[in-house]
Amino acid sequence: MEKKIALLGMGTVGSGVLNILKENKDLLLNSTDELLTITHILVSDLNKTRTVDLSGIQVTDNIEDIKNAEIDLVVEVMGGLQDTKTHLLYFLEQGIPVVSANKDMLAEYIDELEHTALNNKTTILYEGAVAGGIPIIHSLTHSLNANRISKVMGILNGTTNFMLTQMADKGLEYEDVLKIAQDMGYAEADPSADVLGLDAARKTLLLARLAFKKRFKMSDLDVIGIDKVDKIDIVHGKKANMTLKLLGVVEDKSSSYHLSVAPIFVDNTHQLSNVKNEKNAVFVEGNAIGQAMFYGPGAGSYETASAVVSDMINTFNLSSKKTILPEEFGEVDQSKEQSDYYFRFSDSIESVKEVLKDYEYKLIDETDKVFIVKSISSKVYEDIQEELQVKASYQVIGAGQDGVAGTN
Amino acid sequence: MEKKIALLGMGTVGSGVLNILKENKDLLLNSTDELLTITHILVSDLNKTRTVDLSGIQVTDNIEDIKNAEIDLVVEVMGGLQDTKTHLLYFLEQGIPVVSANKDMLAEYIDELEHTALNNKTTILYEGAVAGGIPIIHSLTHSLNANRISKVMGILNGTTNFMLTQMADKGLEYEDVLKIAQDMGYAEADPSADVLGLDAARKTLLLARLAFKKRFKMSDLDVIGIDKVDKIDIVHGKKANMTLKLLGVVEDKSSSYHLSVAPIFVDNTHQLSNVKNEKNAVFVEGNAIGQAMFYGPGAGSYETASAVVSDMINTFNLSSKKTILPEEFGEVDQSKEQSDYYFRFSDSIESVKEVLKDYEYKLIDETDKVFIVKSISSKVYEDIQEELQVKASYQVIGAGQDGVAGTN
C-alpha cells in the first residue's frame, strides 16, 4: 500500500531521508509492504537549487498546502520551536502520525506532543533527535525495558567531541580547533549551542525522561560547555591516562535525580574514552543488563536519516499496546556523589599540599600544580575551590568504575 | 491482566528471569499493564535445591503437565536440540508464543520455528540467544531496518574473549588461561563448543540471517577456534598495536556472502579491540548509518535475562504488522577480500623476504620472523602458505578500515 508522506524541511537530514527512500526502495517495500512515498515537501526557499530529484513531489513553502492534503505521515526535519510544535500538534490532532528529529523543539514540548498523539490514537517517534543514527531511543523504550535504569551517560554532541579529540590528538588550542570545526562544517558560525553544551543538554533531558519515566525541565540540568577548556589540561589528563569528554549524565539517586552536562575526564580503559571525533556513544546502566554501550554516528545526512526512516517504517509496521507517558516531574538534586576530581591550581605547591593533606591525592604535574584528588564529596570539592585558587577542575570517571569489563 | 507463563529450564538464565520478574515487578506491570506470572517451571531434577523462591509455581519434570495447562507464553531456557524444538513447535502450533535463548537449537531450526509461528499467528523471539543482554536482534530487526546491511562483525563468545584478554594482559599461555576460565565457571569442563568457535558460529549464523534476510546452514561457515593460539603471536601483535579477537564476521559481497568465525588481529584504534574479558560487542555496517557498535554483557544470569524478559514484554506489548522470513538460501563464497595478514614463519628470514619481495610488508620481529603483509588476496595468502613454512597466520583488520572515527 502506498503511504503518503509530507516531509517538512529539506536540509541535511531531509535530503538523507529522500536518498535512503530512493536507494533502499526495494528493501523498504519488502520489509514493510508499504510504499513510503514523499508526496509533499515544505521548504523555506522555493527558488533554491536542489541536488535531489523532486519530480512528482509537491514542493511548497506554505504549510497550509500540506494541512489540506491527504497525508498518512508527517516527517519533521526543519527545526524551529513553537511554530513547528503548533504545526505538529495540528497533524497529531487529526490522527496523523509524526516523526521528528528536532531535539530543540522536543526537549521543550515532548510531553505535550506525546499526550496529543496518545489522545488522538496516533504516535510521535523521534529516534533521530538523540545521538543521530544510534538507536538509543528505541532501545531504551523496547529493548532495555526489563531494566530499572540507574544511569545514562553519553557523548551526545559530535561537534564538541570532534573538537576535544582534535585538541587531544593534535595538541591544538580551543580557538584553532573551533575554526577547523567551522571550516569543516561541523560547527556553526555561531557555535554557542554546541560549545556551551546546550545541544547535549537537550538530548540529555530526552534520555533522562525515557530512562526514568519522569518529566524534566531544561532548568533541571547543570550545564557546563567546553568553551573554557584549556589544552594544558587535556595534555595533563593524557599523562594520567584520561581523555576529556563532554558527557551528558543522568543518574537515579533513589530519592532524586541528577542531570548534567559537563566536560569530564574519562579513564582510558572506559569504553567512552575511545569514542573519537564526530562519533557519539551512549552508555547505559540497568539492574538487569549491568552496563551496555551504543556507539555510532552522532550526525550526518544518511546517518541521522537512518534513524528517521526507521521511525517512518515503525510508525506503520510496529505497534505498542501500551504507551506510558511520564506524568510527574522528577525531583532533581544537583549535588554530586563522591568522586575523583582533577584540579589545576595557581597557589604554591606547598599550600596546595597543606590543604589536600587530609585527602588521598595523586600529583600529576609539579610545575603546573595538577592533582587528582580521590573520592571526595561535593562539599569537599567546594571547600577546595574556596581555600585554593583553582585554574581548572574536572570530575574524573575512573577505571574499574564503569565501562570497564567486569572481571579484573 | 495476568499472563500465565511456563518457564522451561531453571539454570543460570532461568533463575535470572525469575529474579528480574520479582525485583522489577512494579516497573514491568507499569510499562505493560500485564502481570507476567510464571505459573509452571520445567526442570530436569525435581529434587535439586533451589535458591529462588518457587512458592505458587507448579514445578514439574514432565512437559505434558505444561502442554495440558493453560499458558499464554512459553519461555525456553533449558537447552537441548531436537526434543526441545519439537516441544516448541507444539506450543507454536497451539498459537502460544515462545521466547527462547537457545542458540544451538535456533541456529539449526529457526526457519522451521518462525514459519510455524507465522502460520499460527504467533511469535518466537530470541534476543537472549545472541550476545547476551545486547539488544542486537531487536536492533537489526527494528532499528537498523532502513539500512542495507553490508557487514556484521562481533565478539560473540565471552569465554574465548575472556581467555584472549587474559593471554594479552597477563601474558599467560592458552592452557593456563583455559584452566582459569574453567575455575571461574566461564568455561565448561569440555570447552570445545567455546574454544573451537562453534558457539560463536551459531550466533554468527543467526546474525547473518537477520542482516541479509537469507537462510544459511552451519556448513556455510568457515570456523577457526582459539585452541591453536600461541601466546607469542599475541605478544607480537601487541607490539604492532593490535589485539587478537575471536570474531564472527558476515559480509555481503554483492553476488555472494562470506560467513566466518576466526581469531583476527584488530587494530587498537578499532572499537572492537577494547572489548575486554567476558564482554561482547557487535559491529554493524549499513548503507545509511555507516558504522555502529553495540557493546555489553555476553552472558550472565541477570544480563541474559534482561534480553529474555524484554522479549517477554514485547511478545505482549509490541506487534509487527509485517514479518518477513527469509526463504532462499544465501550463496556463500568463502574466499576472502583483499586484506592485511599477520604471519610467523619458520624459514630463514632471507627466504621469507625473497618470497615476500613483491608485496608490501612490515617486519614485526626479526628473531621470530613475524611479518605483516599488506593488502593481499586470498590467492596470494595461499601461495605464501605453500611456499613458506607458516607457524601462525591471522587476518588483520586495520586502522582506518572500520570502527575508526571518520575524520582524520
Side-chain angles (χ1 to χ4, degrees):
Chain A
M1 228 180 90
E2 186 175 64
K3 295 292 183 184
K4 296 194 172 74
I5 300 164
L7 184 64
L8 314 185
M10 244 310 261
T12 312
V13 180
S15 317
V17 169
L18 280 168
N19 284 325
I20 292 176
L21 291 183
K22 200 171 171 180
E23 291 171 30
N24 292 355
K25 191 174 172 180
D26 57 330
L27 176 131
L28 297 174
L29 187 58
N30 204 12
S31 58
T32 60
D33 271 354
E34 314 284 7
L35 185 62
L36 304 174
T37 308
I38 305 286
T39 54
H40 295 74
I41 299 180
L42 182 72
V43 297
S44 50
D45 180 0
L46 279 174
N47 298 317
K48 198 169 161 186
T49 321
R50 314 277 171 184
T51 52
V52 191
D53 175 22
L54 299 178
S55 52
I57 301 175
Q58 190 185 336
V59 182
T60 176
D61 58 359
N62 185 353
I63 187 84
E64 296 306 320
D65 288 343
I66 292 170
K67 290 187 178 170
N68 293 327
E70 214 178 279
I71 292 291
D72 300 305
L73 169 67
V74 169
V75 176
E76 187 268 304
V77 288
M78 69 181 182
L81 291 172
Q82 209 171 339
D83 284 358
T84 305
K85 181 213 48 169
T86 308
H87 296 324
L88 298 188
L89 283 178
Y90 171 86
F91 293 111
L92 292 172
E93 280 158 5
Q94 315 301 310
I96 299 169
V98 166
V99 167
S100 172
N102 184 345
K103 67 228 166 211
D104 301 15
M105 187 271 302
L106 290 162
E108 202 69 49
Y109 301 116
I110 182 65
D111 293 301
E112 190 178 351
L113 288 161
E114 282 201 333
H115 272 98
T116 308
L118 192 63
N119 291 340
N120 292 281
K121 298 192 171 44
T122 189
T123 55
I124 174 162
L125 299 179
Y126 56 97
E127 185 65 82
V130 181
I134 304 172
I136 187 63
I137 301 291
H138 191 97
S139 293
L140 279 172
T141 315
H142 296 298
S143 294
L144 302 174
N145 44 0
N147 287 264
R148 202 177 298 280
I149 305 290
S150 50
K151 188 180 198 173
V152 181
M153 196 157 72
I155 295 171
L156 300 169
N157 180 276
T159 306
T160 48
N161 199 49
F162 171 79
M163 290 171 65
L164 291 174
T165 304
Q166 295 292 310
M167 287 176 79
D169 289 0
K170 309 232 166 108
L172 297 171
E173 297 285 0
Y174 175 81
E175 283 74 20
D176 300 327
V177 90
L178 174 59
K179 206 182 161 314
I180 296 173
Q182 284 170 327
D183 290 348
M184 292 178 71
Y186 283 152
E188 316 267 331
D190 174 3
S192 347
D194 289 326
V195 300
L196 299 181
L198 298 175
D199 175 79
R202 289 171 187 133
K203 297 164 179 168
T204 302
L205 180 145
L206 291 169
L207 290 177
R209 182 176 176 273
L210 277 178
F212 306 136
K213 299 174 182 68
K214 294 282 179 190
R215 298 175 63 179
F216 295 99
K217 303 176 293 292
M218 280 298 284
S219 57
D220 288 335
L221 281 101
D222 246 353
V223 182
I224 304 172
I226 66 156
D227 54 315
K228 301 277 187 297
V229 169
D230 195 320
K231 187 184 92 175
I232 193 173
D233 295 307
I234 292 183
V235 171
H236 288 308
K238 227 173 177 174
K239 277 191 276 178
N241 290 315
M242 312 186 300
T243 306
L244 195 69
K245 293 292 179 195
L246 184 69
L247 297 186
V249 181
V250 304
E251 266 177 287
D252 182 347
K253 304 199 291 179
S254 65
S255 60
S256 64
Y257 301 94
H258 171 80
L259 283 72
S260 67
V261 170
I264 290 180
F265 269 121
V266 180
D267 191 275
N268 285 345
T269 54
H270 195 293
Q271 283 289 323
L272 285 172
S273 70
N274 202 29
V275 175
K276 294 197 162 208
N277 290 316
E278 80 285 7
K279 296 288 178 178
N280 279 201
V282 185
F283 184 86
V284 183
E285 211 171 76
N287 73 337
I289 197 169
Q291 303 180 330
M293 192 182 84
F294 300 77
Y295 164 92
S301 174
Y302 278 67
E303 293 85 347
T304 307
S306 169
V308 174
V309 176
S310 170
D311 276 350
M312 293 165 66
I313 299 171
N314 291 341
T315 296
F316 298 118
N317 207 37
L318 206 61
S319 61
S320 286
K321 215 171 108 196
K322 169 100 194 265
T323 309
I324 21 149
L325 302 184
E327 297 289 342
E328 291 166 21
F329 281 96
E331 194 168 319
V332 172
D333 173 9
Q334 296 301 13
S335 69
K336 292 195 183 77
E337 302 288 311
Q338 197 146 299
S339 179
D340 294 357
Y341 281 92
Y342 167 106
F343 288 99
R344 180 159 53 89
F345 298 103
S346 55
D347 315 72
S348 75
I349 195 98
E350 292 71 29
S351 45
V352 174
K353 286 184 173 172
E354 177 56 28
V355 170
L356 296 184
K357 70 178 188 308
D358 294 335
Y359 310 106
E360 191 192 338
Y361 66 79
K362 198 176 155 188
L363 175 59
I364 303 299
D365 191 276
E366 184 111 19
T367 319
D368 287 332
K369 288 157 283 188
V370 175
F371 291 76
I372 293 175
V373 188
K374 308 263 184 185
S375 306
I376 54 172
S377 64
S378 291
K379 173 78 179 66
V380 173
Y381 172 73
E382 278 159 30
D383 289 351
I384 292 173
Q385 302 254 15
E386 259 176 45
E387 290 184 62
L388 291 164
Q389 296 215 294
V390 174
K391 279 188 169 170
S393 73
Y394 296 103
Q395 195 186 348
V396 173
I397 293 181
Q401 225 173 315
D402 319 87
V404 185
T407 332
N408 243 296
Chain B
M1 228 180 93
E2 185 175 65
K3 294 292 183 185
K4 297 194 171 70
I5 300 165
L7 184 64
L8 314 186
M10 243 311 260
T12 313
V13 180
S15 317
V17 169
L18 279 169
N19 284 326
I20 292 177
L21 290 184
K22 198 170 174 182
E23 291 173 30
N24 292 355
K25 191 175 173 180
D26 58 329
L27 177 129
L28 297 174
L29 186 58
N30 205 12
S31 58
T32 60
D33 271 354
E34 315 283 7
L35 184 62
L36 304 174
T37 309
I38 305 285
T39 53
H40 295 74
I41 299 180
L42 182 72
V43 297
S44 50
D45 180 1
L46 280 173
N47 298 318
K48 198 168 161 185
T49 320
R50 315 278 170 184
T51 52
V52 191
D53 174 23
L54 300 177
S55 52
I57 301 174
Q58 190 185 337
V59 182
T60 175
D61 58 359
N62 185 353
I63 187 82
E64 297 306 321
D65 287 343
I66 293 170
K67 288 185 179 171
N68 293 328
E70 213 179 280
I71 291 292
D72 300 305
L73 169 67
V74 169
V75 177
E76 187 268 304
V77 288
M78 68 180 183
L81 291 172
Q82 211 172 339
D83 283 357
T84 305
K85 181 212 50 167
T86 309
H87 295 324
L88 299 187
L89 283 177
Y90 171 86
F91 292 111
L92 292 172
E93 280 159 5
Q94 315 301 310
I96 299 171
V98 167
V99 167
S100 172
N102 182 345
K103 66 228 165 209
D104 301 16
M105 188 271 302
L106 290 162
E108 203 70 49
Y109 301 116
I110 182 67
D111 293 301
E112 190 179 350
L113 289 162
E114 282 201 333
H115 271 96
T116 306
L118 193 63
N119 291 339
N120 291 282
K121 297 191 172 48
T122 189
T123 54
I124 174 163
L125 298 179
Y126 56 98
E127 186 65 82
V130 180
I134 304 173
I136 187 62
I137 301 292
H138 191 97
S139 293
L140 279 172
T141 315
H142 296 298
S143 293
L144 303 174
N145 45 0
N147 286 263
R148 203 177 298 281
I149 305 290
S150 50
K151 190 178 196 173
V152 180
M153 197 157 73
I155 295 171
L156 300 170
N157 179 276
T159 306
T160 48
N161 199 49
F162 171 79
M163 291 171 65
L164 290 173
T165 305
Q166 295 292 311
M167 286 176 80
D169 289 0
K170 308 233 166 110
L172 297 172
E173 297 286 0
Y174 175 81
E175 283 72 22
D176 300 327
V177 89
L178 174 59
K179 206 183 160 310
I180 296 174
Q182 284 170 327
D183 289 348
M184 292 178 70
Y186 283 154
E188 315 268 333
D190 173 4
S192 348
D194 289 327
V195 301
L196 299 182
L198 298 175
D199 174 79
R202 290 171 187 134
K203 298 165 180 168
T204 302
L205 181 145
L206 291 169
L207 290 177
R209 182 175 176 275
L210 276 178
F212 307 136
K213 299 172 183 69
K214 295 281 180 192
R215 298 176 62 180
F216 295 99
K217 304 176 293 291
M218 279 298 284
S219 57
D220 289 336
L221 281 101
D222 246 353
V223 182
I224 304 173
I226 66 158
D227 53 315
K228 301 277 186 301
V229 170
D230 195 319
K231 186 185 95 176
I232 192 173
D233 296 307
I234 291 182
V235 171
H236 288 308
K238 226 174 177 175
K239 278 192 275 178
N241 289 314
M242 311 186 302
T243 306
L244 196 67
K245 292 291 179 194
L246 184 69
L247 297 185
V249 182
V250 304
E251 266 177 288
D252 182 349
K253 305 200 291 179
S254 63
S255 59
S256 64
Y257 300 94
H258 170 80
L259 282 73
S260 66
V261 170
I264 291 179
F265 269 121
V266 181
D267 191 275
N268 284 345
T269 55
H270 195 294
Q271 284 288 324
L272 285 173
S273 70
N274 203 29
V275 175
K276 295 197 163 206
N277 290 317
E278 80 286 5
K279 296 289 178 177
N280 279 201
V282 185
F283 185 85
V284 183
E285 211 171 78
N287 73 338
I289 197 170
Q291 303 178 329
M293 194 182 83
F294 301 76
Y295 163 92
S301 174
Y302 277 68
E303 292 86 345
T304 306
S306 169
V308 174
V309 176
S310 170
D311 276 351
M312 293 165 64
I313 300 171
N314 291 342
T315 296
F316 298 116
N317 206 36
L318 206 61
S319 60
S320 285
K321 214 172 108 194
K322 169 100 194 264
T323 310
I324 21 149
L325 302 185
E327 297 289 342
E328 291 166 24
F329 281 96
E331 194 168 319
V332 172
D333 173 9
Q334 295 302 13
S335 69
K336 292 197 181 75
E337 301 288 311
Q338 199 146 300
S339 178
D340 295 357
Y341 281 91
Y342 167 104
F343 289 99
R344 179 160 52 91
F345 299 103
S346 56
D347 314 73
S348 75
I349 195 97
E350 290 72 27
S351 44
V352 174
K353 284 183 173 173
E354 176 57 29
V355 170
L356 296 183
K357 71 178 187 308
D358 295 335
Y359 310 106
E360 192 193 338
Y361 65 80
K362 199 176 155 188
L363 175 59
I364 303 298
D365 191 276
E366 185 112 18
T367 320
D368 286 332
K369 288 157 285 189
V370 175
F371 292 75
I372 292 175
V373 188
K374 307 264 184 184
S375 306
I376 54 171
S377 64
S378 289
K379 173 79 178 64
V380 173
Y381 173 72
E382 278 159 30
D383 289 351
I384 292 173
Q385 301 256 14
E386 259 176 44
E387 290 183 62
L388 291 165
Q389 297 214 295
V390 174
K391 279 189 170 167
S393 73
Y394 296 102
Q395 196 186 345
V396 173
I397 293 180
Q401 226 173 314
D402 320 86
V404 185
T407 333
N408 235 301

